[in-house]
């Protein structure tokens, strides 16, 4: 049984930092590209960042470039998202997802999803 689980969310002040983690079990982790998505209340879920199976390629939404860093440790089957200079509008539920296809934001291509971790940013 595949399980994907995010952690690391919490309350942070605007301008602060958080590091999210996502662990996966029941799948061959390095067969999958991994991505972070987020969904704020009343908004559609959007892609934040994606990393290829090897970690050799990374992609970011324009809104987070230069502030967020995605990484992975295939030996630990863990995905990370370092978020710096957080803005109040980035408060959302953050999800990690796994795809064997390509790194892009087309959500139906992601086969496995976690339950999400809540990030709250106070202004």
């Amino acid at each position: 049984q595949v399980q994907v689980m995010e952690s690391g969310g919490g309350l942070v002040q605007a301008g602060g930092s958080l590091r999210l983690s996502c662990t996966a079990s029941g799948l061959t982790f390095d067969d999958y590209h991994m991505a972070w998505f987020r969904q704020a209340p009343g908004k559609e879920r959007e892609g934040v960042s994606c990393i290829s199976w090897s970690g050799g390629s990374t992609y970011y939404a324009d809104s987070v470039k230069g502030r967020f860093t995605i990484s992975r440790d295939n030996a630990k089957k863990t995905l990370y998202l370092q978020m710096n200079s957080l803005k109040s509008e980035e408060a959302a539920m953050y999800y990690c997802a796994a795809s064997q296809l390509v790194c892009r934001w087309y959500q139906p291509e992601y086969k496995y999803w976690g339950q999400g971790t809540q990030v709250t940013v106070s202004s």
Side-chain angles (χ1 to χ4, degrees):
Q1 182 180 358
V2 174
Q3 286 191 317
V4 177
M5 185 178 300
E6 303 91 341
S7 62
L11 174 64
V12 63
Q13 285 190 328
S17 298
L18 275 178
R19 188 173 86 150
L20 306 183
S21 299
C22 170
T23 57
S25 61
L27 55 78
T28 304
F29 187 69
D30 54 8
D31 278 353
Y32 290 82
H33 307 301
M34 298 296 296
W36 289 98
F37 291 82
R38 65 187 179 191
Q39 187 169 23
K43 295 189 176 181
E44 292 187 354
R45 189 161 56 187
E46 62 176 0
V48 175
S49 185
C50 186
I51 186 167
S52 62
W53 64 270
S54 67
S57 297
T58 56
Y59 307 87
Y60 297 94
D62 288 343
S63 61
V64 306
K65 282 180 182 176
R67 298 185 297 116
F68 288 16
T69 303
I70 192 171
S71 61
R72 65 190 294 162
D73 184 332
N74 285 346
K76 295 182 179 179
K77 294 189 174 184
T78 303
L79 173 74
Y80 303 99
L81 184 69
Q82 177 67 43
M83 306 186 294
N84 298 330
S85 302
L86 278 160
K87 304 176 182 179
S88 57
E89 59 264 35
E90 293 179 314
M93 186 71 79
Y94 282 71
Y95 299 90
C96 87
S99 170
Q100 287 187 299
L101 300 177
V102 296
C103 257
R104 56 186 177 189
W105 310 135
Y106 187 54
Q107 297 180 39
E109 291 180 343
Y110 287 82
K111 186 174 184 179
Y112 301 113
W113 291 80
Q115 295 297 307
T117 186
Q118 182 69 45
V119 172
T120 303
V121 184
S122 63
S123 55

